[in-house]
């Protein structure tokens, strides 16, 4: 490995630590706070947390997710360093990638799009969108394109959200008919609506349409794989079709494709 490759690997490792930290504390406290052991709730010292030591109280080791995030972040930063994407530029590319990591991990683990991440994402999205679309027609035109994308992303996903309410009510009736307790699951969460607005700010108008379409395709593939998994495990039933999966990661991956590879 060439020595200069250590720079993006180190930056990626630090970004992975940030993603893990925010994913550990924000769903619990909704603010920046001292991380704690997920098993016994004993606070980590910052030295123990950053060096990935097991909990001194109960001995619980760091989760597999912690290591996966660190490795993927380091590998992704190295890839973008070696093969920079046109448009965003390297600094913004790395910042956006880190933000996407936070959204994906929290939504996969908790099915939450948190308000603090939405606010931070809106600021970042406006910066990214304005930067991308002001190169040819000036900053005001770039700002307008970004804002239009954000509004369109929000409105489109809000319509899907209302459709999801119909699906959720149908699911609730099926669960009651089967003698099961309702669990208040949503086909599409309100946080996904706000996230679509954030991603729309980044993608701008009309690219936000492509981003949402790409996200829908990713979500469809994930849903198909879920059905196949049910079939393999011989647990397929009508209720399997009503199992909701986090949609935020699919939206993020669709936007990622448009921003980095389109």
């Amino acid at each position: 490995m060439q020595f200069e490759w250590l720079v993006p690997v180190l930056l990626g490792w630090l970004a992975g630590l940030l993603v893990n930290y925010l994913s550990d504390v924000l769903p619990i406290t909704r603010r920046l706070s001292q991380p704690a052991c997920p098993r016994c709730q004993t606070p980590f010292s910052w030295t123990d947390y950053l060096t990935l030591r097991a909990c001194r109280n109960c001995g619980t080791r760091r989760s597999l997710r912690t290591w996966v995030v660190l490795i993927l972040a380091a590998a992704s930063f190295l890839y973008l360093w070696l093969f920079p994407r046109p448009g965003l530029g390297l600094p913004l590319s790395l910042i956006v990638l880190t933000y996407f990591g936070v959204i994906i991990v929290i939504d996969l683990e908790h099915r939450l799009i948190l308000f603090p991440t939405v606010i931070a994402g809106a600021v970042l999205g406006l910066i990214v969108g304005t930067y991308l679309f002001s190169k040819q027609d000036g900053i005001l035109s770039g700002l307008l394109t970004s804002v239009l994308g954000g509004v369109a992303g929000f409105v489109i996903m809000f319509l899907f959200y209302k459709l999801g309410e119909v699906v959720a009510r149908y699911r609730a009736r099926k669960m009651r008919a089967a003698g099961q307790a309702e669990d208040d699951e949503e086909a599409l969460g309100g946080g996904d609506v706000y996230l679509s607005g954030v991603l729309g700010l980044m993608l701008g108008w009309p690219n936000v349409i492509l981003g949402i379409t790409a996200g829908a395709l990713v979500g469809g593939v994930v849903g198909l794989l879920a059905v196949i998994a049910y079939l393999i495990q011989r647990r397929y039933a009508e209720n399997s079709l009503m199992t909701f999966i986090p949609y935020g990661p699919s939206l993020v991956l669709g936007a990622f494709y448009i921003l980095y590879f389109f």
Side-chain angles (χ1 to χ4, degrees):
M1 178 184 291
Q2 300 183 24
F3 178 76
E4 59 267 24
W5 290 9
L6 293 176
V7 175
V9 170
L10 178 59
L11 290 175
W13 190 267
L14 293 174
L17 288 173
L18 178 61
V19 170
N20 279 320
Y21 167 69
L22 294 175
S23 302
D24 286 338
V25 302
L26 287 183
I28 307 301
T29 66
R30 300 298 197 272
R31 60 184 177 83
L32 302 181
S33 55
Q34 188 170 1
C37 172
R39 182 178 180 183
C40 68
Q41 304 305 313
T42 300
F44 283 106
S45 70
W46 286 107
T47 300
D48 285 352
Y49 185 80
L50 295 176
T51 55
L52 307 177
R53 295 194 58 171
C55 175
R56 292 180 181 268
N57 182 57
C58 67
T60 298
R61 296 179 181 275
R62 304 302 292 275
S63 66
L64 176 62
R65 179 261 287 172
T66 298
W67 296 100
V68 170
V69 166
L70 289 171
I71 293 171
L72 287 180
S76 299
F77 271 47
L78 177 60
Y79 175 82
L80 291 176
W81 184 281
L82 296 176
F83 306 100
R85 311 311 302 171
L88 274 178
L90 185 61
L92 269 182
S93 294
L94 301 182
I95 294 172
V96 171
L97 186 63
T98 303
Y99 174 75
F100 283 173
V102 174
I103 295 296
I104 289 175
V105 173
I106 293 179
D107 202 24
L108 285 177
E109 291 188 345
H110 301 276
R111 290 205 61 185
L112 291 172
I113 304 295
L114 300 172
F115 186 70
T117 62
V118 170
I119 296 300
V123 175
L124 177 61
L126 195 60
I127 293 173
V128 169
T130 302
Y131 173 77
L132 285 175
F133 300 109
S134 65
K135 294 181 178 180
Q136 293 183 343
D137 301 321
I139 189 169
L140 290 179
S141 176
L143 179 62
L144 179 60
T145 302
S146 176
V147 171
L148 286 177
V151 172
F154 181 90
V155 171
I156 291 171
M157 198 53 59
F158 179 76
L159 295 177
F160 281 113
Y161 173 77
K162 301 305 288 185
L163 177 62
E165 287 185 337
V166 176
V167 175
R169 287 196 294 268
Y170 170 76
R171 178 177 183 269
R173 288 198 301 268
K174 297 293 292 184
M175 293 181 70
R176 288 195 300 268
Q180 300 175 357
E182 298 181 35
D183 54 10
D184 297 324
E185 287 280 4
E186 294 179 309
L188 189 69
D192 296 319
V193 178
Y194 292 109
L195 177 62
S196 295
V198 168
L199 298 178
L201 290 171
M202 296 183 184
L203 298 175
W205 175 263
N207 287 342
V208 62
I209 304 295
L210 297 176
I212 291 177
T213 301
L217 291 174
V218 173
V221 171
V222 172
L224 178 61
L225 292 176
V227 171
I228 293 174
Y230 277 119
L231 290 172
I232 292 175
Q233 298 173 23
R234 299 183 179 180
R235 294 192 296 115
Y236 179 82
E238 185 179 359
N239 284 339
S240 300
L241 293 177
M242 305 306 294
T243 300
F244 299 144
I245 58 176
Y247 199 63
S250 298
L251 291 172
V252 167
L253 290 176
F256 173 80
Y257 171 74
I258 300 300
L259 284 173
Y260 289 81
F261 297 103
F262 186 71

